[in-house]
Amino acid sequence: MESKAVRNKRGGVLLRLLIGIVVLLLLAGAWLVWYVAPQKKLDLAYTPVDFGPKLLQMVKNHSPVLTLSEDELNQLCKKGLNDHIAEHPSTFVRITGAEFAQNGNRLTMDITGKAGPLPFGATFGMLMEVSPEGGGMLTLHHEYTEIRGRKVPDGFLSLSEIRVPLREHMPLMVEVKSMTLLDSGIRISFNVDWNNLLNLLRKLT
């Protein structure tokens, strides 16, 4: 039979092993919290883009072309993201802030959010497409997700397609003809009935 001393020794070894496992789990948890913690303070607030002055200047120049800056694109995309979140609510993973940066037809979207009670930060790589149909549409497609510069497995933290309509920012009197992505910003060309210039001016003032 096993002696009491041997049983006590074995019990002590198991207890130390259990304590070691608990400590390792606590350290791993603390490291995970640190690793995914947001590195930026972001929110979902945006400034509506006012197309009015740009369209007025376009009319005065008699040139049916305007350019949106990268900052204006950022504001439009943040509004599109807000609308997307409202249409696709999530009870576990929630985005609480975002900031976009453009490089031609690609965007990086730095985000902050919460997975349950755990705050996290990540970067989404997005492919941007533009179409003049429907009054002008920006469509953002998720390509990859990074946390602290390292890609996470596909599907682990992703975002479905985001659509950003431009029509709601413009009067019906102008029709988008084409959209061109620049390195920074977007160039938009219009079909304009120049015979109705006076009506357009009155509508925008």
Side-chain angles (χ1 to χ4, degrees):
M1 292 183 62
E2 189 175 67
S3 68
K4 184 176 181 180
V6 171
R7 290 198 300 271
N8 288 342
K9 184 177 181 180
R10 180 176 296 172
V13 171
L14 291 174
L15 179 60
R16 288 194 296 272
L17 180 60
L18 179 61
I19 292 173
I21 292 173
V22 171
V23 170
L24 286 175
L25 289 175
L26 290 174
L27 290 174
W31 177 86
L32 178 63
V33 170
W34 169 83
Y35 186 77
V36 304
Q39 296 179 283
K40 293 182 178 180
K41 186 176 182 180
L42 302 173
D43 58 40
L44 292 173
Y46 63 90
T47 302
V49 177
D50 184 3
F51 277 65
K54 289 180 177 290
L55 290 170
L56 278 173
Q57 190 60 48
M58 182 186 80
V59 170
K60 291 176 182 177
N61 294 340
H62 211 274
S63 174
V65 177
L66 64 78
T67 300
L68 298 177
S69 68
E70 183 175 342
D71 180 64
E72 289 169 326
L73 175 62
N74 180 44
Q75 303 307 318
L76 288 172
C77 289
K78 287 188 77 170
K79 182 184 185 306
L81 177 61
N82 274 275
D83 294 341
H84 181 83
I85 291 172
E87 293 172 5
H88 304 84
S90 172
T91 56
F92 183 70
V93 177
R94 293 172 291 120
I95 295 176
T96 58
E99 181 179 62
F100 295 82
Q102 181 192 7
N103 183 14
N105 68 336
R106 281 178 160 74
L107 295 175
T108 55
M109 182 173 75
D110 291 330
I111 68 162
T112 55
K114 285 188 174 181
L118 179 65
F120 71 90
T123 298
F124 288 158
M126 314 288 288
L127 176 66
M128 179 167 55
E129 295 180 343
V130 294
S131 171
E133 297 181 4
M137 182 70 69
L138 308 177
T139 306
L140 310 182
H141 304 277
H142 176 266
E143 289 193 307
Y144 64 86
T145 302
E146 291 182 345
I147 295 178
R148 291 185 180 265
R150 294 186 177 182
K151 290 186 179 181
V152 302
D154 293 342
F156 179 74
L157 182 61
S158 61
L159 197 63
S160 58
E161 178 182 277
I162 299 175
R163 295 170 63 83
V164 184
L166 301 185
R167 167 53 67 195
E168 61 191 69
H169 301 277
M170 297 180 290
L172 295 175
M173 199 174 294
V174 294
E175 177 186 351
V176 175
K177 179 181 179 181
S178 64
M179 300 172 66
T180 304
L181 288 168
L182 309 175
D183 288 339
S184 178
I186 301 175
R187 181 181 296 116
I188 305 174
S189 299
F190 297 89
N191 288 320
V192 180
D193 184 353
W194 296 107
N195 293 325
N196 290 326
L197 288 181
L198 180 59
N199 290 332
L200 179 58
L201 284 168
R202 286 175 176 172
K203 185 176 181 66
L204 296 175
T205 54

